[in-house]
Amino acid sequence: MTIMLSDPPIKTTMGVGFEAIRSRTAADHEAWRRAIGTKPVAARLELLPEGKSRWDRIGLSAIAQIVLITFVVIIPLLYPERIKTVLHMDIIQLAQPLVEIPVAPPPPRVRPKP
């Protein structure tokens, strides 16, 4: 039994992946040379100059950080009563509705007459 389809199968690879057909022509091997061009371009092929020493900025940053840390450490020592992180909780009882169930009083004790 032979099955024939009238439409060709739909290609979903979009030319990428393992199923891509990579046929190159001879012109594609030289494409990089055409992209570069033939016009000569001046280029400086030397090392970059040495950068300036930035010890002044590193020192300024270190001093600023030390001052900030000192400030954060000294604040609680100067004002200990204002910066209390302990939570102070008061216990307040809430009013509850009465849910008592009435109970019959105990029967009176009957004493027999002698």
Side-chain angles (χ1 to χ4, degrees):
M1 180 175 191
T2 304
I3 299 174
M4 294 185 65
L5 298 174
S6 61
D7 294 331
I10 299 171
K11 187 175 178 183
T12 59
T13 60
M14 296 192 300
V16 295
F18 293 119
E19 297 178 10
I21 299 172
R22 298 184 184 250
S23 62
R24 293 186 179 181
T25 62
D28 287 337
H29 292 296
E30 301 297 323
W32 65 273
R33 289 187 182 164
R34 285 193 311 273
I36 291 176
T38 57
K39 182 178 177 183
V41 177
R44 279 181 28 194
L45 301 174
E46 60 187 40
L47 294 174
L48 293 174
E50 287 292 323
K52 297 178 185 175
S53 177
R54 291 190 171 86
W55 284 106
D56 54 344
R57 292 186 182 189
I58 293 174
L60 181 66
S61 172
I63 290 171
Q65 290 178 20
I66 289 171
V67 167
L68 183 68
I69 290 173
T70 306
F71 180 72
V72 169
V73 169
I74 287 180
I75 288 287
L77 297 175
L78 296 176
Y79 305 105
E81 65 278 352
R82 290 190 180 206
I83 305 178
K84 289 187 177 181
T85 57
V86 177
L87 297 176
H88 182 68
M89 297 186 185
D90 292 331
I91 299 173
I92 300 173
Q93 292 187 0
L94 300 175
Q96 297 178 354
L98 296 175
V99 289
E100 295 178 0
I101 301 173
V103 180
R109 286 181 56 180
V110 178
R111 293 187 178 198
K113 290 185 178 183

